[in-house]
Structures are given as C-alpha cells and as structure tokens.
Amino acid sequence: MQNIHIATTIKLLCKVRGISINAFLKECELTKSFIYDLEKRNASPSADKLTKISNYFDCSVDYLLGRTDNPDSHKK
C-alpha cells in the first residue's frame, strides 16, 4: 500500500508543478516502468531512488512515504 502512496504522491507533485511523468523519470534517471512497478508490482524503491525523487521535488522522504502531510518537513 505504501508503494501506491508513493506513486500517487509523485503523480500529484508532477501535476502541481506542471511536469510530465516522462520528464520526471528521465531527469531522475528512473525507468519508464517505475510508476507502474510501484502501483502494480508492489516494487519497493531503493533509498537511493527515494533520495533522488525527494531532491528533485525538494520534499522530504517522509512526505513521499506518507509519514507527514508537510512536504517541507525536512527544512529547518
């Protein structure tokens, strides 16, 4: 279930920021099947991938994982 949340959050962040999923995947050097794998295959992203994604969107990993509703929780 957490992986589906990650995929949903990524889609939302792309939509809010006006970024296509393909552009996001390319910029983060992720495979084209990354989102599908999260949603349908219940694949778990590595810590490295989560870090790349959080850096790309400038949000916390906790936000991607659904541990907080505040994407800026990593900022002091």
Side-chain angles (χ1 to χ4, degrees):
M1 184 70 155
Q2 181 179 12
N3 297 337
I4 293 172
H5 176 79
I6 294 168
T8 302
T9 302
I10 290 169
K11 289 179 180 180
L12 176 65
L13 288 168
C14 284
K15 183 177 180 177
V16 166
R17 295 187 171 144
I19 303 164
S20 72
I21 296 290
N22 286 333
F24 153 75
L25 293 171
K26 185 176 180 180
E27 188 70 28
C28 289
E29 300 174 338
L30 300 170
T31 63
K32 290 184 179 182
S33 65
F34 179 74
I35 300 292
Y36 177 84
D37 291 343
L38 289 174
E39 293 176 325
K40 305 297 184 195
R41 295 187 179 150
N42 200 28
S44 296
S46 67
D48 181 54
K49 288 179 183 177
L50 286 173
T51 301
K52 281 184 180 184
I53 296 166
S54 67
N55 287 339
Y56 180 79
F57 288 117
D58 191 26
C59 69
S60 69
V61 172
D62 283 338
Y63 179 73
L64 292 175
L65 296 174
R67 294 181 182 168
T68 180
D69 292 333
N70 179 4
D72 296 325
S73 64
H74 65 297
K75 297 178 181 177
K76 299 285 179 192

